[in-house]
Amino acid sequence: MTENGLVAGIDEANRTAWIYRDGGIDFLAFTTRELIASDVNVSGVVVGHQGDRDAATVWVFDSTLRDIQSKLSTQFGRARAISDNGVVVGARRTPPAPVLAYRLDLSNDELTPIPMSETVGPEYVSSEAVVVSADGRLAAGLAWKEFGSEPRGFLYDHSTRKTTDLGTTILPRAMNEVGKLAGSTWPSGITVTYDIASKTTRTHGGSFLAEGMNDAGQVVGSLRGGGDLPSACVSRPGQLPVDLNSAVTGIAGWLVSASDIINDGRILVTAIVVDASGARHSRPYILTPV
């Protein structure tokens, strides 16, 4: 979710992408299926991929839907995030080569392969960028050995063209605009934040899957409890996560995940709703603090 309240998502029934703006949902394409929307920027430009994860192609929506896989110079790819100035990050590959992280500037079509850190060994063969700063300068993601084993975090700075190995102290999932990452340690799974300037980590109240973070350091995600469904949660610096199901009223269903939080405190969540036949459906909500 952007600071001006734009949201991109996927329609569960029709398997196609949408954007929420001006109080309503607009579908990006009515006849094209398997469109997975990954991110949207403040200008309403949406990025995502089409098809199965390992054989997907990348697209962008900026008033029209466009396939941009050819700009990645590979057969397959995924787009994970887009900056406010149009920098896309993700992963790309042409079999049998491994998946590798990239940075694509849509303003001039400049493609930059994100290099592995010089401090990791040659056994680390794959990588994927998962978040990008609003100005497009920084990107963070994961590197791993063959078959996805022993993941490590990384931070790429486009101004220096250098990649820093973050090790297993944080596997990044979110980035805010005051120089912090949110994610988890590996393999313990403790939720942490990482200060880019001081290169220090701070635990964030237990273990939950971090998905988003605002500039105040509030982190949202999903928390595993004793039931069959996870719970959407929010954690403030130095505090245990709060189950949002206990803090929200008037929503039909169970809040299973929180994917983002913006600076005014609004939280993007997903609820599981059970219909009259007993079937489960997911439904997005925006929670507004009162």
Side-chain angles (χ1 to χ4, degrees), residues 52-178:
D52 294 334
R53 175 182 173 86
D54 293 327
T57 56
V58 175
W59 54 262
V60 62
F61 177 86
D62 51 3
S63 75
T64 59
L65 187 68
R66 297 186 289 122
D67 187 307
I68 60 169
Q69 184 61 44
S70 62
K71 299 181 186 299
L72 301 183
S73 301
T74 54
Q75 186 175 358
F76 303 122
R78 297 189 293 269
R80 294 295 301 270
I82 183 170
S83 69
D84 287 343
N85 58 352
V87 171
V88 181
V89 299
R92 62 187 185 127
R93 74 185 292 254
T94 294
V99 173
L100 291 170
Y102 72 85
R103 176 190 190 273
L104 176 66
D105 189 335
L106 294 178
S107 68
N108 56 15
D109 289 344
E110 179 190 30
L111 174 66
T112 304
I114 295 178
M116 290 285 186
S117 168
E118 296 176 352
T119 62
V120 301
E123 67 274 19
Y124 279 86
V125 295
S126 297
S127 61
E128 182 170 21
V130 299
V131 291
V132 64
S133 59
D135 63 2
R137 182 174 68 88
L138 301 176
L142 308 177
W144 58 91
K145 296 181 180 180
E146 194 174 8
F147 307 117
S149 64
E150 299 185 40
R152 307 173 69 88
F154 73 78
L155 178 69
Y156 171 73
D157 187 335
H158 192 65
S159 65
T160 62
R161 308 294 175 108
K162 297 290 186 181
T163 301
T164 300
D165 175 38
L166 301 177
T168 58
T169 57
I170 182 169
L171 304 184
R173 300 275 300 183
M175 181 188 300
N176 66 17
E177 292 309 308
V178 293

Side-chain angles (χ1 to χ4, degrees), residues 16-283:
T16 195
W18 50 260
I19 181 173
Y20 173 82
R21 56 189 173 189
D22 301 325
I25 286 178
D26 295 322
F27 287 97
L28 308 190
F30 286 103
T31 58
T32 307
R33 297 293 181 260
E34 302 303 320
L35 292 179
I36 310 299
S38 300
D39 198 16
V40 59
N41 68 13
V42 293
S43 300
V45 181
V46 184
V47 292
H49 55 270
Q50 182 179 19
D52 294 334
R53 175 182 173 86
D54 293 327
T57 56
V58 175
W59 54 262
V60 62
F61 177 86
D62 51 3
S63 75
T64 59
L65 187 68
R66 297 186 289 122
D67 187 307
I68 60 169
Q69 184 61 44
S70 62
K71 299 181 186 299
L72 301 183
S73 301
T74 54
Q75 186 175 358
F76 303 122
R78 297 189 293 269
R80 294 295 301 270
I82 183 170
S83 69
D84 287 343
N85 58 352
V87 171
V88 181
V89 299
R92 62 187 185 127
R93 74 185 292 254
T94 294
V99 173
L100 291 170
Y102 72 85
R103 176 190 190 273
L104 176 66
D105 189 335
L106 294 178
S107 68
N108 56 15
D109 289 344
E110 179 190 30
L111 174 66
T112 304
I114 295 178
M116 290 285 186
S117 168
E118 296 176 352
T119 62
V120 301
E123 67 274 19
Y124 279 86
V125 295
S126 297
S127 61
E128 182 170 21
V130 299
V131 291
V132 64
S133 59
D135 63 2
R137 182 174 68 88
L138 301 176
L142 308 177
W144 58 91
K145 296 181 180 180
E146 194 174 8
F147 307 117
S149 64
E150 299 185 40
R152 307 173 69 88
F154 73 78
L155 178 69
Y156 171 73
D157 187 335
H158 192 65
S159 65
T160 62
R161 308 294 175 108
K162 297 290 186 181
T163 301
T164 300
D165 175 38
L166 301 177
T168 58
T169 57
I170 182 169
L171 304 184
R173 300 275 300 183
M175 181 188 300
N176 66 17
E177 292 309 308
V178 293
K180 289 185 172 59
L181 301 171
S184 59
T185 59
W186 189 88
S188 59
I190 302 299
T191 305
V192 295
T193 54
Y194 176 85
D195 187 289
I196 295 171
S198 65
K199 300 181 181 180
T200 57
T201 58
R202 176 179 181 178
T203 58
H204 223 274
S207 299
F208 62 95
L209 181 63
E211 295 284 359
M213 176 174 56
N214 64 14
D215 291 350
Q218 297 172 306
V219 180
V220 295
S222 57
L223 179 69
R224 271 291 174 187
D228 65 335
L229 292 174
S231 297
C233 66
V234 59
S235 174
R236 293 167 177 82
Q239 299 181 15
L240 292 173
V242 174
D243 186 337
L244 288 170
N245 289 283
S246 65
V248 175
T249 59
I251 291 182
W254 186 259
L255 303 181
V256 293
S257 66
S259 55
D260 211 353
I261 181 170
I262 58 177
N263 290 335
D264 65 7
R266 282 179 288 173
I267 302 174
L268 178 63
V269 298
T270 298
I272 295 296
V273 179
V274 180
D275 65 21
S277 69
R280 290 178 173 181
H281 304 277
S282 62
R283 181 176 298 171

